[in-house]
Amino acid sequence: MQTDSNFTFVLFGGTGDLSMRKILPALYEAHRAGMLEASGKIIAVARHEEDRGGYLQWVNEHVKAHVSKSGIDENAWSSFLERIEYVKLDLGKAEDFVKLRDAMQELPGTRVFYLATGPSLFVPICRALASVGLNENARIVLEKPLGYDLRSSNAINDAVGEIFAEGQIYRIDHYLGKEPVQNLLALRFGNALFEPLWRREWVESIQITIAEELGVEARGDFYDNTGALRDMVQNHLLQLLSIVAMEPPHSMDSDSVRDEKLRVLRALKPIDPRDISKVAVRGQYHAGVIRGTSVPAYATEPGVKTDSATETFVALKVEIENWRWAGVPFFLRTGKRLADRVAEIVVNFRAVPHSALGSSSLRPGANRLVIRLQPNETIRLYCLAKKPGEGMNLSSVHLDLAFDQFFKEGQMEAYQRLLLDVIHGRLALFVRRDEQEAAWKWVEPILNEWAASGKPKPYAAGTWGPAAASAMLAQHDTCWLEEEN
């Protein structure tokens, strides 16, 4: 599907890990599928002393391994490389931005500036772009983390907002681009089946989990000053929560969707610092074994302080104070070095009030919806059915929507979808400033309390985190999904 949206895509941090693993592979997939305007250009920007030929060799060596399972189409790859230019740029030299402006002068269409850099560089880059007039007819994409707390987040947003209008700023959260998240919206708002059940009268609890087998890898310096609450909860988990819990929007335009998400974030019950120990669990992984391989403790990872109190695991009980969700607990969980790599949303419906079929139909979780975001993107609806044979014996069965089996078209990766949305000027799947502020305001009391208290609870790598996370759910007569199975 050819588009008519001409563009110049400028990639700051063009030699970085994110560019190699996610951004350039996503642009290649869009190019191969014919979704990019033929004359659109990509300009990679970095400090490395390279000419265009040297940079393309770098791309050949580092990007090909990260494209989809279907592999490389050499003809498409060659024509994709023809789109790419390289500009060596030193942020401290104004003349280098003049060089960038000159390189873009003859290129028509919308300018997209993707800042795949650390947040400390966001403001200097934006100011330098404005100094040479490159903030006109432009869109700016900001990667997370956008600040360290509410104050620093506001400082960045204020400075960027002096240069770019809110409608030009795309704060990216790649979880919002995942296919099952889009299908969650379709299931809820495109079908009459689920909406009557999507409320406190019929939902017992909701779990949202983002679990990783990996540790901090080579990001010890960054992670030890960030932690799981800032890295995952403030953005990914609260964004998924707002999608799950939002009211039906007036339309799917950007502000209608984001207005409803904002209402959810503002309805989050504030956490009293005195109650944090009851509704928030933080942990830090110790040495353990994952899939037969021994892995070290977090405190011994490169770049991590040996006495670090940074959390690598967070579990929270969250409540939404509005008419639809009052009294329904939302359990959020994320961690590194856990037993499996999985991201999923579990909607547990209430048990039937009375059954002549036996106690199995009365147990919590007999009816549930499991939306798997990774590694296999599926939606699965669980219900009870009679086992074949004599007697009325019930067993759990499920209905599957496995996207790769049902739809012949290949799934679009999250970054591919989001980059196309930037090029086309669609903001619905990007985070608005007031959403971000509401999320930081809710998270900050936890951050402050943890900063003043002792160390996180230990858990062995390869497990599902501290036992306290399971105990928190047990207080509500429920458990994490993997514990039940």
Side-chain angles (χ1 to χ4, degrees):
M1 180 182 65
Q2 188 72 37
T3 73
D4 58 359
S5 298
N6 210 343
F7 67 94
T8 300
F9 189 98
V10 181
L11 179 57
F12 285 87
T15 57
D17 185 59
L18 180 64
S19 297
M20 298 297 110
R21 289 188 303 106
K22 295 295 184 182
I23 301 170
L24 288 174
L27 289 170
Y28 163 72
E29 294 291 356
H31 166 85
R32 178 166 65 170
M35 295 178 173
L36 298 180
E37 172 65 29
S39 57
K41 290 291 184 182
I42 300 167
I43 299 177
V45 173
R47 294 178 297 176
H48 291 253
E49 293 284 355
E50 295 279 5
D51 58 12
R52 179 174 182 271
Y55 181 72
L56 293 184
Q57 182 60 36
W58 179 274
V59 170
N60 264 314
E61 293 174 4
H62 293 85
V63 174
K64 280 188 172 182
H66 300 292
V67 299
S68 69
K69 294 178 182 177
S70 57
I72 289 281
D73 177 322
E74 291 297 340
N75 290 330
W77 180 253
S78 295
S79 59
F80 173 67
L81 293 182
E82 290 174 7
R83 293 181 181 270
I84 300 176
E85 302 291 339
Y86 179 76
V87 174
K88 177 187 175 297
L89 190 149
D90 185 332
L91 295 180
K93 294 181 179 179
E95 59 268 25
D96 280 10
F97 280 85
V98 173
K99 186 167 57 176
L100 176 62
R101 181 193 63 192
D102 293 344
M104 299 177 65
Q105 201 156 21
E106 302 301 319
L107 300 177
T110 300
R111 299 162 176 165
V112 174
F113 297 103
Y114 197 114
L115 274 54
T117 68
S120 63
L121 299 177
F122 291 170
V123 173
I125 291 173
C126 289
R127 286 174 175 163
L129 291 172
S131 73
V132 294
L134 287 177
N135 59 322
E136 301 296 329
N137 188 31
R139 294 164 190 157
I140 191 89
V141 185
L142 305 179
E143 267 286 349
K144 77 171 187 74
L146 201 67
Y148 183 78
D149 52 19
L150 179 60
R151 181 178 178 182
S152 59
S153 175
N154 282 340
I156 293 173
N157 279 317
D158 287 344
V160 174
E162 292 173 1
I163 299 161
F164 295 94
E166 181 63 29
Q168 295 177 278
I169 302 172
Y170 291 69
R171 300 173 189 87
I172 195 166
D173 186 327
H174 70 275
Y175 273 86
L176 298 185
K178 288 182 176 290
E179 198 72 56
V181 176
Q182 307 299 297
N183 261 300
L184 175 58
L185 294 172
L187 283 172
R188 282 198 60 195
F189 305 133
N191 299 284
L193 176 63
F194 289 105
E195 178 56 26
L197 305 178
W198 213 262
R199 59 189 66 248
R200 59 187 175 84
E201 291 88 350
W202 299 108
V203 174
E204 183 77 34
S205 65
I206 294 178
Q207 301 174 17
I208 306 177
T209 293
I210 302 176
E212 300 176 274
E213 286 184 335
L214 293 175
V216 294
E217 306 310 296
R219 299 195 312 153
D221 278 335
F222 160 77
Y223 198 88
D224 208 37
N225 291 303
T226 305
L229 191 65
R230 290 183 177 91
D231 190 43
M232 298 297 289
V233 176
Q234 184 272 332
N235 39 69
H236 297 328
L237 281 168
L238 289 186
Q239 282 293 315
L240 291 177
L241 170 67
S242 65
I243 290 283
V244 170
M246 64 188 277
E247 294 296 320
H250 170 69
S251 70
M252 294 307 293
D253 72 79
S254 59
D255 280 328
S256 292
V257 172
R258 296 191 294 179
D259 285 347
E260 297 304 335
K261 286 163 57 189
L262 177 63
R263 289 189 178 96
V264 173
L265 293 170
R266 287 179 170 170
L268 293 176
K269 182 179 179 180
I271 292 183
D272 189 321
R274 294 169 296 183
D275 294 333
I276 284 178
S277 62
K278 302 175 185 176
V279 298
V281 177
R282 62 170 174 158
Q284 184 184 104
Y285 66 82
H286 287 201
V289 177
I290 296 180
R291 300 192 187 278
T293 301
S294 296
V295 296
Y298 172 76
T300 65
E301 299 272 19
V304 175
K305 297 185 291 292
T306 56
D307 61 346
S308 174
T310 299
E311 77 283 353
T312 62
F313 175 95
V314 174
L316 301 169
K317 176 201 165 194
V318 178
E319 295 182 60
I320 300 173
E321 296 185 310
N322 63 17
W323 192 272
R324 182 184 291 266
W325 295 113
V328 176
F330 287 72
F331 299 107
L332 312 184
R333 176 177 58 163
T334 185
K336 291 189 174 296
R337 293 290 191 211
L338 297 183
D340 200 2
R341 173 181 175 264
V342 62
E344 64 188 8
I345 299 164
V346 180
V347 181
N348 289 311
F349 294 100
R350 295 188 186 277
V352 296
H354 171 75
S355 175
L357 302 177
S359 60
S360 59
S361 61
L362 295 173
R363 65 178 175 82
N367 299 142
R368 63 160 54 104
L369 184 69
V370 178
I371 301 150
R372 177 66 65 91
L373 308 180
Q374 66 182 28
N376 303 312
E377 299 182 338
T378 60
I379 295 178
R380 180 172 286 182
L381 179 63
Y382 288 83
C383 54
L384 295 176
K386 179 189 175 296
K387 288 182 180 180
E390 186 180 6
M392 182 59 71
N393 298 310
L394 303 183
S395 179
S396 179
V397 298
H398 57 264
L399 309 174
D400 260 349
L401 173 54
F403 301 110
D404 57 346
Q405 297 177 25
F406 192 85
F407 296 107
K408 300 304 180 185
E409 303 89 345
Q411 289 190 52
M412 188 181 292
E413 292 292 328
Y415 268 95
Q416 183 181 343
R417 172 181 288 106
L418 295 172
L419 294 181
L420 288 170
D421 278 1
V422 177
I423 291 169
H424 289 285
R426 298 188 286 252
L427 278 158
L429 299 181
F430 296 84
V431 181
R432 205 167 57 191
R433 176 174 179 171
D434 48 9
E435 291 180 74
Q436 195 173 65
E437 288 182 359
W440 273 121
K441 285 178 181 177
W442 186 82
V443 161
E444 274 208 329
I446 308 173
L447 286 171
N448 294 337
E449 182 65 20
W450 282 355
S453 61
K455 285 193 171 186
K457 297 180 184 299
Y459 65 95
T463 67
W464 282 103
S470 297
M472 183 172 68
L473 270 69
Q475 294 174 10
H476 297 271
D477 295 321
T478 188
C479 63
W480 299 105
L481 182 60
E482 77 282 345
E483 293 173 333
E484 180 174 309
N485 293 337

